[in-house]
């Protein structure tokens, strides 16, 4: 019985990822290099005008994303 609870907790943690913009665990989104952006933030980012103060926040959060290195 205890194993079932642990396995469902383990499975739940793999269904959600932390969004690089809102820092919350979300089940759906996109991957950009090594980071995850939830669908809500993606939609908000796309609809935000560049003169909106929220746009600067998005840029600040997106700077956390690093390009993965390719080893040959």
């Amino acid at each position: 019985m205890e194993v079932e609870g642990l396995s469902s907790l383990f499975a739940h943690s793999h269904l959600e990822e932390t969004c690089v913009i809102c820092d919350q665990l979300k089940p759906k989104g996109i991957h950009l290099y090594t980071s995850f952006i939830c669908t809500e933030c993606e939609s908000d980012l796309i609809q935000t005008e560049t003169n909106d103060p929220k746009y600067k926040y998005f840029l600040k959060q997106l700077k956390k994303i690093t390009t993965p290195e390719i080893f040959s």
Side-chain angles (χ1 to χ4, degrees):
M1 183 129 168
E2 193 173 320
V3 174
E4 288 176 16
L6 182 60
S7 64
S8 66
L9 177 65
F10 183 70
H12 181 60
S13 68
H14 281 286
L15 294 176
E16 295 184 338
E17 296 183 66
T18 303
C19 175
V20 72
I21 295 176
C22 67
D23 291 322
Q24 295 181 2
L25 285 174
K26 299 288 178 101
K28 293 183 181 178
I30 61 170
H31 289 95
L32 181 61
Y33 295 116
T34 59
S35 299
F36 173 78
I37 300 173
C38 70
T39 54
E40 292 87 358
C41 288
E42 177 194 8
S43 176
D44 205 15
L45 174 64
I46 292 169
Q47 296 173 4
T48 302
E49 296 291 330
T50 56
N51 59 355
D52 188 329
K54 194 168 30 170
Y55 190 76
K56 286 187 178 184
Y57 170 75
F58 287 136
L59 290 178
K60 180 183 159 224
Q61 294 301 95
L62 289 171
K63 286 181 182 178
K64 292 190 234 176
I65 299 174
T66 58
T67 308
E69 295 182 22
I70 300 174
F71 299 105
S72 53

